[in-house]
């Protein structure tokens, strides 16, 4: 069994400044034994991709409540792929209409979590779908 911890970068891309949910999730991930890096609000996709690569994370968790998820989430996934870091898993959460989800998955997101999703189920999803990249 690996003793490596899963490293997760949580970020709030764009102009959305409502970060309470991201902070709660960061604490839940930390309590579950993951290493968590939180960038704070107002990050550009370029900043998020750069930090993810520099910090050698396994997962990038994006939170967006502004409605800009259709641009911001795919842009982060695209930048990671362009920088040959497509093995970093990208997940997203926030106010995301169900009809937007297929395009986000097609853009490379592996998980999408909307309001009402329990913290335990998100942590369980990470345990089931993420292996530390070494």
């Amino acid at each position: 069994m690996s003793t490596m911890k899963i490293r997760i970068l949580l970020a709030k891309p764009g102009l959305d400044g409502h970060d309470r949910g991201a902070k709660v999730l960061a604490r839940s991930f930390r309590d579950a034994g993951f290493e968590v890096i939180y960038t704070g609000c107002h990050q550009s996709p370029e900043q998020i991709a750069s930090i993810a690569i520099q910090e050698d994370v396994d997962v990038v968790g994006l939170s967006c409540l502004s409605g800009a998820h259709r641009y911001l989430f795919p842009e982060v996934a695209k930048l990671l792929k362009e920088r040959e870091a497509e093995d970093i898993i990208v997940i997203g959460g926030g106010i995301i209409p169900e009809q937007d989800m297929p395009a986000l998955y097609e853009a490379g997101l592996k998980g999408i979590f909307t309001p009402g999703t329990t913290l335990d189920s998100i942590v369980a999803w990470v345990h089931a779908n993420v292996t530390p990249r070494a």
Side-chain angles (χ1 to χ4, degrees):
M1 180 175 172
S2 173
T3 58
M4 294 184 61
K5 288 186 174 186
I6 294 172
R7 293 176 55 86
I8 300 176
L9 174 72
L10 289 176
K12 293 283 300 178
L15 300 176
D16 177 18
H18 300 92
D19 66 345
R20 191 170 89 185
K23 289 178 178 175
V24 169
L25 187 57
R27 185 178 182 121
S28 182
F29 281 158
R30 185 203 65 192
D31 291 348
F34 305 145
E35 289 185 30
V36 180
I37 301 160
Y38 176 53
T39 67
C41 296
H42 312 301
Q43 302 296 306
S44 71
E46 292 80 9
Q47 289 171 312
I48 295 166
S50 293
I51 294 168
I53 292 167
Q54 289 170 358
E55 294 292 338
D56 196 25
V57 299
D58 304 298
V59 179
V60 172
L62 303 170
S63 171
C64 184
L65 302 174
S66 69
H69 57 272
R70 289 183 58 148
Y71 167 74
L72 295 168
F73 292 3
E75 188 66 13
V76 171
K78 183 186 94 177
L79 290 167
L80 290 171
K81 185 174 183 177
E82 287 176 359
R83 297 174 189 181
E84 300 179 359
E86 63 266 24
D87 58 334
I88 297 174
I89 293 171
V90 180
I91 59 176
I95 308 295
I96 300 172
E98 195 166 321
Q99 66 266 22
D100 292 349
M101 292 182 184
L104 295 174
Y105 284 121
E106 189 171 314
L109 272 75
K110 301 299 183 199
I112 299 171
F113 306 98
T114 56
T117 306
T118 67
L119 294 170
D120 287 342
S121 67
I122 298 170
V123 168
W125 187 94
V126 172
H127 277 300
N129 293 285
V130 178
T131 303
R133 298 179 322 125

